[in-house]
């Protein structure tokens, strides 16, 4: 089972969670992960527990995202809220940030896993096939030129 990081749901909490992920990656080895649970905006773990009790907090913790999905979601929310998938320069900026997270992983299997997962998430997000095709098939698992629409989940 993976430890869960639970933080405030505001922008500062989101930034802090990304900071935790960034600093955890160099220490992680194959088989290790973290999960991230973000509380509603304006709540911190202590106030949420006092207001709502153990059950609702446990429900949020049970829905915590694994590191790779959390990083993807947090970057989209925090840095790329209005990402225009038809603008390659915006997608390039997102990919640059994702690669920075990949590079933090010292374990080569985790680094490769992050590359693959981020590639899958780019495809699932509806990133244009011309951009996805620029990623090596070994990362996306998709042959260059294949329409991304067939791979949406």
């Amino acid at each position: 089972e993976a430890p869960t990081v639970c933080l405030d749901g505001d922008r500062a909490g989101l930034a802090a969670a990304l900071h935790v992920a960034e600093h955890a990656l160099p220490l992680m080895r194959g088989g290790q992960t973290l999960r991230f649970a973000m509380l509603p905006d304006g709540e911190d773990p202590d106030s949420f527990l006092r207001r709502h009790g153990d059950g609702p907090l446990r429900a949020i913790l049970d829905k915590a995202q694994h590191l790779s999905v959390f990083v993807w979601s947090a970057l989209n929310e925090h840095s790329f809220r209005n990402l225009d998938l038809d603008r390659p320069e915006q997608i390039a900026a997102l990919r640059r940030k994702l690669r920075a997270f990949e590079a933090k992983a010292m374990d080569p299997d985790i680094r490769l896993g992050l590359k693959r997962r981020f590639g899958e998430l780019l495809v699932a997000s509806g990133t244009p096939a011309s951009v996805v095709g620029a990623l090596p098939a070994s990362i996306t698992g998709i042959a260059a030129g294949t329409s991304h629409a067939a791979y949406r989940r």
Side-chain angles (χ1 to χ4, degrees), residues 102-114:
E102 294 164 10
K104 297 278 183 190
M106 294 293 106
D107 184 289
D109 294 325
I110 291 177
R111 192 169 39 252
L112 179 61
L114 288 172

Side-chain angles (χ1 to χ4, degrees), residues 35-82:
R35 296 176 63 209
F36 292 84
M38 302 305 293
L39 295 171
D41 197 11
E43 296 276 7
D44 63 55
D46 187 52
S47 68
F48 188 88
L49 184 60
R50 275 197 315 260
R51 265 191 212 128
H52 305 285
D54 183 52
L57 180 59
R58 192 163 305 282
I60 288 173
L61 295 175
D62 288 343
K63 294 178 184 173
Q65 296 176 317
H66 286 278
L67 187 139
S68 60
V69 174
F70 170 75
V71 166
W72 168 265
S73 299
L75 285 177
N76 279 312
E77 176 66 24
H78 186 66
S79 302
F80 296 94
R81 177 171 246 167
N82 297 314

Side-chain angles (χ1 to χ4, degrees), residues 44 53 99 113-114 138 144 147:
D44 63 55
R99 279 195 308 273
L114 288 172
S138 62
S147 169

